[in-house]
Amino acid sequence: MRSNSARQPARTRTLTAAAAVCLLAATGAGAASAAPDHDRRGGHHGGHRAGVSAEAWGTTPDGTPVERWTLVNGGMTVRVLTYGGIVQSLEVPDARGEVENVVLGFDDLEGYVTSNNPGPYFGAVIGRYGNRIAGGTFTLDGVQHQLPLNDGPNTLHGGTDSFDKRVWRATPLPGRAQVGLRLELTSPDGDQGFPGELQAAVTYSLDRHQQLRVDYEATTDAPTVVNLTQHTYWNLAGEDSGTIYDHELTIDADAYTPVDDTLIPTGEIAPVAGTPMDFRRATPVGERIRQPFEQILRGQGYDHNWVLDRDSEDGLEDAAELRDPDSGRTLRIATTEPGLQFYSGNFLDGTLVGTGGSVYRQGDGLALETQHFPDSPNQEQFPSTVLRPGETYESTTVFSLSD
């Protein structure tokens, strides 16, 4: 969504971890270092706690300090790194009240620095442009722009040194009904080949109903393209529990965008009916993933953009639902975006060790990335990703978890 009436963000200031803890003490929000109370009979609303706090989490190779922020509200705890805006863990109870981390990731900063890009992009904020741009080039207002090639002949997720490898400025947003964390980043003109200085902000908000809301904002001083998204990998049975092939997935989409052999959209909007791409009814992820369907063969599984069925251009609408039949956990996704990239973890190859100490193999997690379509700067028939001075890029996605 782009608005010509660019609303001004609230005045904020970046706090150190120590200052943030002092602020929480003053507001009575409470520290988030302790796990929330849970009703062992499965009712995790027995004792409400809300808080946001920070801890030092190492330094990048150039010496920049990194913090890990903890958001806790009711039954859910989310940990976010200032490095890459990464959701490092998300702990939530199942139907029996058992708490598990349900997102894939690493247990230290080194794992993210050395293995996350190029690689799986576990939990990261993706920018400036989520997904692929063909040939690493696009033309805007008659000027061609060249981006780094980091995915064969194409550019993936913004380039080689993109938003997932930057340290963001953090400001806590304490409260009682809702807690949050605002992350801000300045991307200079020419960053990874993209024109214009971009001021970007991502706000994570966690309410007492186990809803994690992600709000994106961006402004530019020159015409550019923007497509921000969040790249968390989900395994609702627990991040070290094995494959997600038995998870039941529903995507509210009658069509998808087929890809060529480099995973660039061909430009066609194809119906899902009668194909393994049809998730209009809840279907186990693994039920058709081995079928000899050309699109699945090209992605070695699912790695495609679904064209969401929408009633409006920019309202928050339901997009997908994921359910683990064993734990009973259900993830519901609502978004303002027109597309959803479903990636079934096809390239996890057993070389990465996750937070729980297990090796991640193919299909051990899946990503559901709300987005504009891949390669939109080169495909005029797709919804535009152009952002101009005086406009504000705005996008919202809500991840709701229940048992």
Side-chain angles (χ1 to χ4, degrees), residues 129-130 132-134 137-140 147 194 224-227 372-380 382-386:
Y129 199 95
R132 294 172 174 87
I133 294 179
T137 63
F138 66 93
T139 299
L140 179 59
L147 315 176
F194 290 96
T224 193
V225 295
V226 183
N227 188 26
H372 272 56
F373 302 170
D375 199 37
S376 289
N378 295 311
Q379 310 248 8
E380 292 184 358
F382 289 173
S384 175
T385 56
V386 175

Side-chain angles (χ1 to χ4, degrees), residues 97-364:
E98 298 295 328
V99 177
E100 295 282 355
N101 172 28
V102 297
V103 303
L104 275 57
F106 300 109
D107 63 1
D108 58 22
L109 180 61
E110 182 181 0
Y112 291 101
V113 170
T114 61
S115 301
N116 215 34
N117 175 1
Y121 299 90
F122 287 145
V125 172
I126 302 299
R128 289 187 189 188
Y129 199 95
N131 220 300
R132 294 172 174 87
I133 294 179
T137 63
F138 66 93
T139 299
L140 179 59
D141 296 340
V143 179
Q144 186 178 72
H145 301 277
Q146 179 66 56
L147 315 176
L149 302 181
N150 63 335
D151 185 54
N154 306 316
T155 298
L156 175 64
H157 293 332
T160 53
D161 183 21
S162 44
F163 286 10
D164 58 289
K165 296 185 79 71
R166 309 292 172 83
V167 177
W168 295 63
R169 304 182 299 276
T171 302
L173 306 172
R176 300 191 69 83
Q178 180 173 280
V179 296
L181 181 69
R182 181 179 173 87
L183 300 172
E184 296 174 283
L185 180 72
T186 299
S187 175
D189 180 32
D191 188 5
Q192 299 296 286
F194 290 96
E197 180 180 279
L198 193 78
Q199 301 292 336
V202 178
T203 300
Y204 291 106
S205 304
L206 178 61
D207 71 14
R208 65 182 64 187
H209 303 296
Q210 298 185 171
Q211 294 188 10
L212 178 64
R213 178 183 175 113
V214 188
D215 290 296
Y216 308 86
E217 295 177 23
T219 58
T220 182
D221 65 359
T224 193
V225 295
V226 183
N227 188 26
L228 305 181
T229 190
Q230 219 290 329
H231 209 292
T232 287
Y233 286 64
W234 301 91
N235 186 323
L236 299 181
E239 62 85 28
D240 60 351
S241 63
T243 77
I244 43 74
Y245 291 153
D246 62 344
H247 283 34
E248 297 167 354
L249 177 64
T250 307
I251 302 176
D252 190 11
D254 291 333
Y256 75 106
T257 53
V259 296
D260 65 18
D261 56 7
T262 70
L263 302 183
I264 292 293
T266 63
E268 179 187 5
I269 304 294
V272 299
T275 78
M277 316 304 280
D278 190 350
F279 285 92
R280 291 175 296 178
R281 295 183 179 180
T283 304
V285 169
E287 183 172 294
R288 298 168 300 194
I289 202 168
R290 306 296 183 191
Q291 291 188 10
F293 183 65
E294 183 180 30
Q295 288 296 308
I296 290 181
L297 292 173
R298 286 180 174 178
Q300 298 183 34
Y302 296 104
D303 192 4
H304 297 77
N305 170 69
W306 270 255
V307 180
L308 296 174
D309 298 339
R310 298 189 55 83
D311 295 326
S312 65
E313 287 189 5
D314 53 15
L316 190 65
E317 298 183 16
D318 293 339
E321 180 176 300
L322 182 70
R323 180 178 180 272
D324 171 38
D326 182 50
S327 68
R329 292 188 184 94
T330 299
L331 169 68
R332 296 179 178 88
I333 299 176
T335 187
T336 59
E337 289 295 297
L340 177 80
Q341 185 84 8
F342 164 37
Y343 169 59
S344 53
N346 316 322
F347 301 108
L348 299 176
D349 60 3
T351 61
L352 303 176
V353 179
T355 50
S358 295
V359 169
Y360 292 144
R361 299 189 182 278
Q362 186 179 51
D364 281 355

Side-chain angles (χ1 to χ4, degrees), residues 13 15-34 36 48-55 67-74 76-82 170-183 203-207 212:
R13 61 192 179 95
L15 302 181
T16 64
V21 172
C22 291
L23 172 63
L24 293 173
T27 60
S33 57
H48 177 71
R49 302 182 63 183
V52 52
S53 63
E55 60 186 310
E67 293 174 335
R68 181 171 73 168
W69 288 81
T70 299
L71 310 178
V72 59
N73 205 345
M76 194 155 85
T77 300
V78 181
R79 293 182 176 87
V80 178
L81 306 182
T82 53
T171 302
L173 306 172
R176 300 191 69 83
Q178 180 173 280
V179 296
L181 181 69
R182 181 179 173 87
L183 300 172
T203 300
Y204 291 106
S205 304
L206 178 61
D207 71 14
L212 178 64

